Amino acid sequence: MSDQRSGGISSGGGGGSSGESSGGGRRSAAGSGGGVVASSCCEVEGAWPRLGGALRQAGAAMERSADNLHSPSAPASSSAAVDGRQVFAAHMLAGAVAGVTEHTAMYPVDTIKTRMQALSHPGQRLHGSVINALRAVLRREGVAGLYRGVGAVAAGAGPAHALHFAVYEAAKERLGGNRAGYQWAATAGAGAVATVVNDGLMTPVDVIKQRLQVAHSPYRGLVDCTATVLRQEGVAALYRSYRTTVLMNIPFVAMHFSVYEAAKKWLLRIDAGDEEAEDRLAVQLVAGGLAGGAAAAVTTPLDVVKTRLQTEGVLAPKRYGTTAVLPVLRRIVAEEGLAAIWRGVKPRVLFNCPAAAVSWGTYESMKRLLLGDPHDADGER
């Protein structure tokens, strides 16, 4: 896998091994630059077993290697020596920054969505519009009410999205998604693989987050909520919705990544003759927004089921007695009508359109910062 990733970056980043063999002077200079890169890779690899410190050390290694690779004294061909693990770490760091930025920037909208979907107390009437839900939160709790539970997301989104994007890039390369043309099947498959890893980390975070977001939440804060859930319900409560989350996010992410790549190709054809159009920030923001909104809309019923399972028993006495998706979905429809499974679709789309745009724009920008611009390398080659 390391060889594949290294080859992928080499082909776009500086000419590969053929660039090193083109002359003796270049080869010796490349060897000097490669020694610095190898040293940075060792630092990243040594930090790898410790997930908590990996992102910090990987970021430092990426910054040092980027300075060396793009310094005037280093030849362009030295970028071909970037090791696969270093590329993987760069994708992790870029994904971590993108994930935290995405979730914190759009958190108030997510709170409104949760309030529209989750039952809080007996006889509660769920808000039927985004405006009514927003007014209710501001009237009772002020602006701070829109940010209850944001600490959980800030702590969990970084590691989860780091693995998500890194696994996506690795799987996309292995499945052939980087070949010329629109490889929708490989892209969707890579997205599905990545979401299984991401959900393993994000599901407990999402449970705590939503229990703090609901109206009249009985928890004082992040630590109190986590300790109470573990003490009263055990670790299993944090993964009660994992199956539903995976079933929702596999089609969500598969559609998300597919629409994102398709939108980039479509926008690239609009900018005919511009070879770098696909990497423009504006293109990434628009493509990411379209992908996020489309994927969010079609998976809303599953998101309602997930929210109900994650907030089950917080204040309302209703319990579904199962974590299976279809029985819970049928009961919601039977008791509350078909419209109930589409509650929160507007704030969900409003959240995911800009959130996905911010996430993709941040991620692609961080990749270029850490690994360099492949178009610049192609020009030098």
Side-chain angles (χ1 to χ4, degrees):
M1 188 62 189
S2 175
D3 292 337
Q4 290 183 334
R5 291 303 306 160
S6 180
I9 295 298
S10 298
S11 63
S17 60
S18 61
E20 296 180 7
S21 61
S22 61
R26 288 185 60 181
R27 182 176 301 169
S28 60
S32 175
V36 177
V37 174
S39 174
S40 297
C41 293
C42 290
E43 291 179 33
V44 174
E45 185 175 5
W48 185 257
R50 300 183 298 276
L51 180 59
L55 296 177
R56 190 179 305 109
Q57 295 187 25
M62 292 301 99
E63 183 177 358
R64 290 195 298 274
S65 63
D67 289 341
N68 288 321
L69 290 174
H70 297 96
S71 63
S73 60
S77 61
S78 65
S79 62
V82 177
D83 185 81
R85 283 192 178 91
Q86 188 173 4
V87 175
F88 190 82
H91 290 154
M92 287 188 69
L93 183 60
V97 175
V100 173
T101 303
E102 166 195 352
H103 283 281
T104 55
M106 299 303 301
Y107 194 82
V109 181
D110 186 63
T111 297
I112 297 302
K113 185 215 69 168
T114 299
R115 294 289 181 97
M116 294 180 69
Q117 292 179 340
L119 295 177
S120 180
H121 57 79
Q124 178 199 17
R125 182 180 179 86
L126 292 174
H127 298 292
S129 73
V130 175
I131 299 300
N132 289 339
L134 178 61
R135 286 173 178 167
V137 174
L138 294 176
R139 184 174 63 251
R140 296 179 188 137
E141 305 163 57
V143 175
L146 296 172
Y147 287 92
R148 276 184 59 86
V150 70
V153 165
H161 281 70
L163 286 176
H164 179 88
F165 279 103
V167 169
Y168 166 70
E169 293 283 2
K172 182 183 173 186
E173 173 69 19
R174 177 62 62 90
L175 295 173
N178 290 328
R179 293 195 299 263
Y182 175 40
Q183 306 295 334
W184 68 269
T187 301
V193 171
T195 196
V196 174
V197 177
N198 177 79
D199 289 343
L201 291 175
M202 277 302 290
T203 296
V205 172
D206 203 46
V207 170
I208 299 301
K209 170 187 75 72
Q210 288 201 315
R211 290 188 174 218
L212 290 169
Q213 284 178 320
V214 296
H216 313 291
S217 175
Y219 308 108
R220 294 190 300 273
L222 174 60
V223 175
D224 176 57
C225 181
T226 304
T228 302
V229 170
L230 291 175
R231 183 175 63 253
Q232 295 181 354
E233 304 176 57
V235 177
L238 298 177
Y239 285 92
R240 184 180 296 153
S241 65
Y242 180 69
R243 176 167 53 176
T244 304
T245 302
V246 171
L247 288 175
M248 175 186 72
N249 281 341
I250 285 180
F252 177 92
V253 174
M255 183 175 182
H256 186 129
F257 281 108
S258 297
V259 172
Y260 175 70
E261 297 291 347
K264 285 206 301 182
K265 301 296 182 185
W266 175 60
L267 291 171
L268 179 59
R269 286 200 296 269
I270 289 179
D271 295 328
D274 189 347
E275 296 179 355
E276 299 184 10
E278 188 176 358
D279 291 327
R280 290 176 182 167
L281 182 59
V283 172
Q284 292 157 1
L285 292 176
V286 174
L290 290 173
V298 300
T299 56
T300 295
L302 292 173
D303 187 58
V304 172
V305 173
K306 176 183 73 76
T307 298
R308 294 295 181 90
L309 290 175
Q310 290 184 168
T311 59
E312 184 179 30
V314 175
L315 287 176
K318 179 182 292 188
R319 289 189 176 273
Y320 294 99
T322 180
T323 59
V325 176
L326 289 179
V328 176
L329 200 61
R330 291 192 192 103
R331 184 171 171 184
I332 293 174
V333 172
E335 295 178 353
E336 305 172 46
L338 189 62
I341 63 174
W342 292 100
R343 286 191 180 276
V345 63
K346 289 181 180 179
R348 182 165 162 79
V349 172
L350 286 174
F351 173 90
N352 280 280
C353 276
V358 169
S359 178
W360 277 111
T362 303
Y363 175 66
E364 299 284 7
S365 297
M366 285 296 297
K367 272 206 310 184
R368 283 198 300 275
L369 175 65
L370 296 171
L371 298 174
D373 191 337
H375 294 291
D376 291 342
D378 288 338
E380 293 175 4
R381 184 172 58 183

